Amino acid sequence: MEWMADLTKMRLAYLGTPTFAVPTLERIVEDGHQVLSVLTQPDRPRGRGQQLALSPVKEAALRFGLPVYQPERVRKPEVLEYLRLLELDAMVVVGYGQIIPQTMIDLVPLGVINVHASLLPKYRGAGPIQWAIINGETHTGVTTMRIDAGLDTGDMLLKAETAIGPDENAVELGRRLAVMGADLLVKTLDNFTAIIADKQDNAQASYAPMLKKEDGLLDWNWPAETIHNRVRGLQPWPGAYTMFRGQRLYIRETRIEAGRLIPMEVQLEGRKRMTVSDFTNGQRISENEFWRELRP
């Protein structure tokens, strides 16, 4: 399907919440598009004091002096009316945190454009960066797509691919893909009329579900590469962990050397992160005792 719009800069609403979504908002503003409203999740209690904290996207929007709207649910009629009155060309969604209903999609003539952190149709869902690493992928990328009523099933616009480093974790890869996604989104907007969208091949699709805390528990009978990939992919949450003297011990960094798994940094629950040597010294145990504890 060819986009038939004849325009250079668009009237947009931007929907996003996490740090991953900040570079795209920044690039849209820098590229001269009109961001008429930024929708982000409501401020949530955070930390020991449970004080209300702004989302990273809200902080960025305020820095640019952009209007911010934080509805609890975008399906409510008053939210749809708010967006309708803006007379938007399109909406951009990056990690917003709510499903976009068809009623919202129908509001904008050029559709709702999403930046997804995988090479669709692989890794549809909430955790594409993490599961790509967990599954041992050596390449990934970003895709811009036109949202439809399905879960990451819309027509694809543009793609950009990158290699995954053998020791790169999800936080590091996420930073790179956020910048790549920002560049790709601006390229998508600036070349809208020339882009021919591609339908996804559902037969090639895979799913990347939201991570759960229990996903972090390691099985030391797994191959070294499997554990290494789990440690990398489960950053920053839920973290890869094992039990040590009745407490949860997070394995924060590992290396593979000559086919062997080498833990580099660990963190006992409630304590600071440290090297394995500092940990074993502080616990007054030998290396062999450490490994016996981890391999019951």
Side-chain angles (χ1 to χ4, degrees):
M1 173 181 178
E2 186 171 358
W3 297 100
M4 300 303 295
D6 182 16
L7 42 90
T8 53
K9 302 303 176 184
M10 299 187 190
R11 294 170 57 86
L12 302 170
Y14 187 82
L15 291 78
T17 299
T19 300
F20 181 85
V22 171
T24 301
L25 176 59
E26 293 173 337
R27 285 297 312 278
I28 289 173
V29 173
E30 291 165 2
D31 201 47
H33 293 282
Q34 299 179 61
V35 181
L36 301 180
S37 184
V38 174
L39 279 69
T40 189
Q41 292 294 294
D43 300 346
R44 307 292 189 194
R46 189 182 304 166
R48 291 184 178 178
Q50 289 294 284
Q51 294 184 340
L52 291 179
L54 281 61
S55 75
V57 164
K58 182 176 180 179
E59 292 179 345
L62 295 176
R63 190 169 72 246
F64 283 115
L66 300 172
V68 175
Y69 185 33
Q70 297 177 271
E72 283 286 348
R73 297 191 64 190
V74 293
R75 292 179 176 272
K76 291 188 175 182
E78 59 266 31
V79 179
L80 299 176
E81 179 64 11
Y82 168 82
L83 292 169
R84 186 185 68 80
L85 292 174
L86 293 177
E87 297 182 346
L88 302 165
D89 296 316
M91 290 185 243
V92 174
V93 177
V94 185
Y96 177 53
Q98 295 188 42
I99 299 296
I100 306 301
Q102 187 65 47
T103 49
M104 183 180 294
I105 297 171
D106 293 340
L107 287 175
V108 282
L110 300 179
V112 181
I113 307 159
N114 173 241
V115 177
H116 187 74
S118 80
L119 298 173
L120 290 171
K122 295 189 70 173
Y123 297 106
R124 295 171 176 171
I129 297 172
Q130 295 89 340
W131 285 106
I133 294 177
I134 290 169
N135 291 338
E137 301 283 359
T138 58
H139 287 79
T140 188
V142 288
T143 305
T144 53
M145 57 169 282
R146 190 186 185 195
I147 285 180
D148 63 12
L151 178 62
D152 300 327
T153 57
D155 292 349
M156 301 176 294
L157 302 173
L158 296 178
K159 289 184 179 183
E161 185 173 344
T162 186
I164 302 175
D167 295 316
E168 191 171 26
N169 65 39
V171 174
E172 296 162 341
L173 179 58
R175 291 194 195 105
R176 291 203 299 113
L177 292 182
V179 174
M180 288 178 60
D183 292 340
L184 195 68
L185 190 278
V186 167
K187 184 178 179 181
T188 300
L189 296 181
D190 290 348
N191 295 278
F192 222 57
T193 58
I195 295 174
I196 299 175
D198 291 329
K199 291 193 175 298
Q200 296 189 41
D201 181 357
N202 292 329
Q204 300 298 318
S206 59
Y207 182 56
M210 185 177 295
L211 291 166
K212 306 181 296 295
K213 196 161 190 176
E214 52 265 34
D215 290 324
L217 182 61
L218 295 174
D219 183 340
W220 293 99
N221 294 311
W222 287 336
E225 285 284 355
T226 299
I227 297 174
H228 181 57
N229 293 340
R230 283 257 164 182
V231 171
R232 296 189 299 130
L234 295 172
Q235 303 285 358
W237 190 90
Y241 63 88
T242 189
M243 301 308 295
F244 180 78
R245 292 181 178 175
Q247 292 181 281
R248 187 169 292 175
L249 178 68
Y250 289 93
I251 313 299
R252 296 301 190 189
E253 185 179 341
T254 55
R255 291 287 186 273
I256 299 290
E257 295 181 7
R260 291 181 61 233
L261 180 76
I262 309 296
M264 304 295 291
E265 293 189 1
V266 296
Q267 183 178 9
L268 201 59
E269 192 167 25
R271 305 288 184 86
K272 67 178 183 179
R273 179 171 171 165
M274 62 183 66
T275 65
V276 167
S277 59
D278 286 345
F279 174 78
T280 55
N281 290 336
Q283 294 292 321
R284 298 174 183 245
I285 56 176
S286 70
E287 182 179 354
N288 287 336
E289 288 173 313
F290 175 76
W291 280 107
R292 279 203 304 272
E293 184 77 24
L294 294 187
R295 296 176 181 273

